[in-house]
Amino acid sequence: MSRLATEFQRLYAAGPEGSVRALVLDVGRPSDWELPGAVWRGVQLDLSLPAPGIAIAGENSYQLWFSLQQGCSPEEARAFVDGLTARYLSGVAAPRVRCLTEPPAVPAEVKEGQWSAFVAPDLAPVFVEATWLDIPPGVEGQADLLKTLRSITPQEWRAAIELLAPVETQDLTPALAPSSDGASAANAYAPATGFNDPRAFLLQVMNDATVPMALRIEAAKALLPNT
């Protein structure tokens, strides 16, 4: 087995029982290093993850290659990529971003005269006009690039997943007890508001479309004597 094949196997081999160990975030159509570059920097600075590998895709995009020490489910892999997309690529059209959980062979001749390859971070911007090589890259040089990379540990992975998870709106309705006092019923939302002025708080509840209609009505009733 060549040194390149050994390094590729170390980082991107399939996980046990069909789990995912390699995640490839493909961004392009057209190619633009600034977009994946922001993700590459962000995962290190914001999420404390090791640097992903960088590949020119041999067509019209860049790729970021993430390696996991332990496999995850395809659903968790998708949630990770969705979280990265929401955090760093929210303004990018959906067709320009792809998630590959079965990594393609790199280097490879994707089209005639267009070779994909791993590249160093400082060289990535050079390929923005043509994200490929005209000739096969050197095998030893590719192995050297992969040798510098390390896989994401389970602890790093869990922490990143938590940071990327969307904030879900809690349904507070079941916890509310019926009340004939509009102020008392509406005040069930008080811990999340930080209002000190009861009237301002009641106005907020009355005008908040996310609050159940019954509570909005009660808040309006409580405000009537003060209008």
Side-chain angles (χ1 to χ4, degrees):
M1 182 180 291
S2 70
R3 197 160 67 90
L4 173 57
T6 299
E7 292 296 341
F8 196 95
Q9 182 77 5
R10 174 181 69 86
L11 293 167
Y12 306 119
E17 299 180 354
S19 60
V20 175
R21 277 198 63 226
L23 301 175
V24 180
L25 178 63
D26 185 290
V27 184
R29 294 160 292 278
S31 58
D32 179 355
W33 170 243
E34 289 302 316
L35 297 175
V39 182
W40 184 83
R41 292 185 295 272
V43 296
Q44 297 175 74
L45 295 174
D46 303 335
L47 307 181
S48 300
L49 296 178
I54 302 170
I56 48 177
E59 293 185 272
N60 199 14
S61 63
Y62 286 92
Q63 295 176 342
L64 299 181
W65 287 58
F66 296 88
S67 169
L68 279 64
Q69 276 188 0
Q70 296 181 3
C72 71
S73 67
E75 294 76 17
E76 193 172 27
R78 169 56 65 182
F80 175 75
V81 172
D82 287 347
L84 293 182
T85 301
R87 188 175 186 119
Y88 301 108
L89 302 170
S90 59
V92 181
R96 298 184 63 192
V97 181
R98 295 187 301 182
C99 172
L100 310 176
T101 55
E102 295 184 6
V106 174
E109 189 175 24
V110 177
K111 290 184 178 180
E112 185 176 358
Q114 296 184 10
W115 285 80
S116 61
F118 291 102
V119 297
D122 56 342
L123 291 180
V126 174
F127 298 95
V128 70
E129 297 296 331
T131 47
W132 61 80
L133 297 179
D134 297 330
I135 58 174
V139 173
E140 291 302 311
Q142 293 287 283
D144 288 340
L145 286 170
L146 295 187
K147 184 179 180 179
T148 65
L149 304 177
R150 72 171 181 86
S151 300
I152 301 171
T153 66
Q155 294 79 10
E156 290 171 332
W157 176 253
R158 286 194 295 271
I161 288 292
E162 290 179 3
L163 286 172
L164 292 172
V167 178
E168 297 182 359
T169 302
Q170 297 182 352
D171 183 5
L172 300 180
T173 306
L176 300 179
S179 172
S180 59
D181 180 353
S184 299
N187 278 334
Y189 284 82
T193 65
F195 281 98
N196 293 319
D197 181 354
R199 186 172 186 278
F201 171 66
L202 289 169
L203 283 170
Q204 172 70 16
V205 172
M206 184 182 69
N207 293 308
D208 189 345
T210 65
V211 175
M213 182 56 70
L215 290 181
R216 295 173 66 189
I217 293 173
E218 293 299 324
K221 289 179 180 178
L223 282 166
L224 282 176
N226 301 310
T227 55

